[in-house]
Amino acid sequence: MKEISTEELLNKIDELAHVIIDVREDEEVAEGMIPGAVHMRLATVPERLSELNKDKELIFVCRSGRRSEKAAEYAESHGYTCTNVVGGMLAWQGSTVNPE
């Protein structure tokens, strides 16, 4: 599984070849998400994985990078191309939006 820093992600945020998946809990996401990210709590990844496009790179993010690493490992074991955001939202310096 690949890893990406928050700075690298910020530089490629507008690319269409990936989907950012935020695996934090609802109360964490309420504090703000990366614009365009999809919220999918870690516990729901196994049941919701089929909602995601296998043709796109999945970039997983959480608070610090541990839960997103688990989610990325799981998705990768099911044939998805995955990347984990090292440092997670604690390291994110870009803008955030409130979830809808």
Side-chain angles (χ1 to χ4, degrees):
M1 168 190 29
K2 296 186 293 184
E3 293 183 333
I4 190 171
S5 71
T6 55
E7 184 177 319
E8 290 170 315
L9 178 56
L10 190 55
N11 290 331
K12 71 182 276 184
I13 198 87
D14 293 326
E15 292 179 20
L16 299 175
H18 65 265
V19 176
I20 300 169
I21 311 297
D22 191 324
V23 298
R24 296 177 296 157
E25 295 297 318
D26 296 340
E27 60 274 7
E28 294 172 292
V29 168
E31 297 173 8
M33 294 175 55
I34 296 172
V38 174
H39 181 218
M40 185 179 292
R41 290 181 299 110
L42 178 61
T44 66
V45 169
E47 65 195 51
R48 294 188 58 199
L49 192 60
S50 64
E51 297 173 22
L52 303 173
N53 186 342
K54 278 193 173 181
D55 295 332
K56 295 200 176 211
E57 173 188 15
L58 303 181
I59 299 176
F60 288 92
V61 65
C62 67
R63 181 178 169 271
S64 67
R66 288 207 167 95
R67 286 175 285 174
S68 54
E69 182 178 31
K70 289 180 182 179
E73 286 173 353
Y74 179 84
E76 197 168 71
S77 74
H78 286 81
Y80 291 81
T81 301
C82 302
T83 300
N84 183 45
V85 179
V86 177
M89 292 302 289
L90 290 174
W92 180 251
Q93 296 295 310
S95 64
T96 60
V97 295
N98 290 330
E100 298 179 10

